[in-house]
Amino acid sequence: MTVSIQGTPIGAGHPVYVIAEIGLNHNGDVELAKKLIDVAAEAGAQAVKFQKRTPEISTPEHMKQVPRETPWGTMSYLDYRYRVEFDREQYVEIGDYATLRGLDWFASPWDEPSVDFLEDLGVGAHKVASASVTDHGLLARLAQTGKTIILSTGMSTLQEIDAAVEVLGTEKLVMLHATSTYPLPPEEANLRTILTLQQRYRNVPIGYSGHERGLQISLAAVALGAVAVERHITLDRTMWGSDHAASLEPQGFEHLVRDIRIIGEAMGDGVKRVFPGELAPLAKLRRVPAPTA
Ligand SMILES: C=C(OP(=O)(O)O)C(=O)O
């Protein structure tokens, strides 16, 4: 089963759809966001992704007044959330820049007004963050958009995912296996879940959203058949902000996309055949030819 985002197909037999998750790693700075878009484009990703919140709604009540040290001084967690949000004008600027660089761009809306905000900007798809899997109001609003929805599944049981799929439908759905531990230790990656999801949601393309350090686990996900891969990117892992440490720097992301493309080609179609490149070794090395029927 194949779904598409702005004409780019996602599914078996198509190049792995690589999403560079900028998330909040722009730290509220449009110029930094543009540099990260450049990193994604130069590496050969197909999309960049952001996170869009209405902080008053999406911040859990018990977190709002928790003090937070930031580069802009100590402030409440709620004020910090406002500080790193882009407004409409800034989204127009970064969205246009992504389009100019040949990338799809979209975001994970963390509340219903954020869906309206993104729809107004004409995004090509929406992402559901793992944290939102059980927010059926948000999912219902997303289903109404008719756009392709990418559903992450960290922190979720199969029953919670079933219920989310019930609301979203399967026609324009991509699902990502994820474990929401930052950074993700290998023993919690549980990559065979990709196979479980493939079997349970047969018409849904299954991908992987990774929070591990390094490349190996994402590359293994592709070898297991993940048709989309999302990874956080940053200019510098030591920068201030919650996701930088579990992100890939430009060179790491470039290597990830390069290796995903090689693995994608190497996976083939599973049909056993003798390749042209084998004919010379065959002539040279095989002493006993196959018996003729
Ligand atoms: C946190 C997000 O995604 P994931 O659950 O895939 O990490 C997100 O998309 O905002």
Side-chain angles (χ1 to χ4, degrees):
M1 167 81 179
T2 298
V3 302
S4 68
I5 295 181
Q6 286 175 326
T8 308
I10 306 177
H14 299 289
V16 172
Y17 191 81
V18 181
I19 304 163
E21 161 70 316
I22 293 175
L24 294 179
N25 280 356
H26 51 68
N27 287 359
D29 177 346
V30 169
E31 291 313 309
L32 182 49
K34 285 183 175 173
K35 285 192 184 129
L36 290 167
I37 290 169
D38 287 336
V39 169
E42 276 149 33
Q46 284 95 328
V48 283
K49 191 189 100 42
F50 299 91
Q51 298 180 9
K52 177 64 194 150
R53 290 175 174 81
T54 310
E56 194 55 43
I57 300 174
S58 68
T59 308
E61 210 52 50
H62 67 279
M63 289 297 294
K64 282 185 177 165
Q65 294 314 319
V66 173
R68 171 110 178 174
E69 300 296 328
T70 78
W72 313 283
T74 306
M75 56 181 80
S76 70
Y77 188 71
L78 183 62
D79 285 345
Y80 150 71
R81 281 292 179 197
Y82 276 112
R83 181 67 185 72
V84 293
E85 277 304 319
F86 286 145
D87 62 20
R88 189 177 192 285
E89 206 177 302
Q90 290 169 314
Y91 260 109
V92 168
E93 189 172 346
I94 56 174
D96 284 354
Y97 190 71
T99 305
L100 202 71
R101 297 287 341 236
L103 295 164
D104 296 335
W105 79 272
F106 48 89
S108 45
W110 284 59
D111 48 72
E112 291 173 50
S114 294
V115 180
D116 299 335
F117 177 95
L118 292 165
E119 279 293 289
D120 183 50
L121 289 166
V123 289
H126 294 283
K127 161 93 188 284
V128 178
S130 298
S132 305
V133 167
T134 51
D135 186 343
H136 290 186
L138 176 66
L139 302 186
R141 174 70 192 94
L142 285 168
Q144 272 173 7
T145 67
K147 301 260 168 80
T148 293
I149 307 291
I150 302 171
L151 173 71
S152 242
T153 55
M155 304 183 273
S156 307
T157 64
L158 278 180
Q159 290 65 36
E160 287 166 347
I161 301 168
D162 283 349
V165 170
E166 193 70 31
V167 181
L168 290 170
T170 55
E171 208 182 309
K172 288 188 165 178
L173 186 64
V174 177
M175 193 181 287
L176 305 182
H177 167 54
T179 303
S180 304
T181 312
Y182 295 74
L184 171 69
E187 66 273 18
E188 291 191 11
N190 201 12
L191 286 181
R192 286 197 172 87
T193 305
I194 291 170
L195 308 178
T196 305
L197 297 177
Q198 284 168 345
Q199 277 157 19
R200 192 174 182 94
Y201 308 103
R202 289 197 172 272
N203 293 326
V204 179
I206 306 293
Y208 173 69
S209 172
H211 308 110
E212 70 274 14
R213 292 201 168 98
L215 310 183
Q216 302 95 329
I217 296 176
S218 293
L219 296 176
V222 173
L224 280 173
V227 295
V229 169
E230 178 181 308
R231 291 294 304 269
H232 287 261
I233 59 168
T234 179
L235 291 186
D236 179 349
R237 271 199 295 268
T238 65
M239 276 174 85
W240 183 88
S242 48
D243 292 338
H244 290 279
S247 301
L248 293 174
E249 291 181 348
Q251 198 185 36
F253 189 66
E254 191 185 317
H255 289 172
L256 176 79
V257 181
R258 177 198 66 191
D259 292 352
I260 284 175
R261 301 290 173 237
I262 292 171
I263 294 170
E265 267 190 78
M267 292 296 287
D269 57 12
V271 177
K272 183 58 185 157
R273 55 167 86 73
V274 177
F275 281 94
E278 294 180 294
L279 296 178
L282 177 70
K284 192 166 131 196
L285 300 173
R286 184 166 284 174
R287 194 172 60 84
V288 182
T292 43

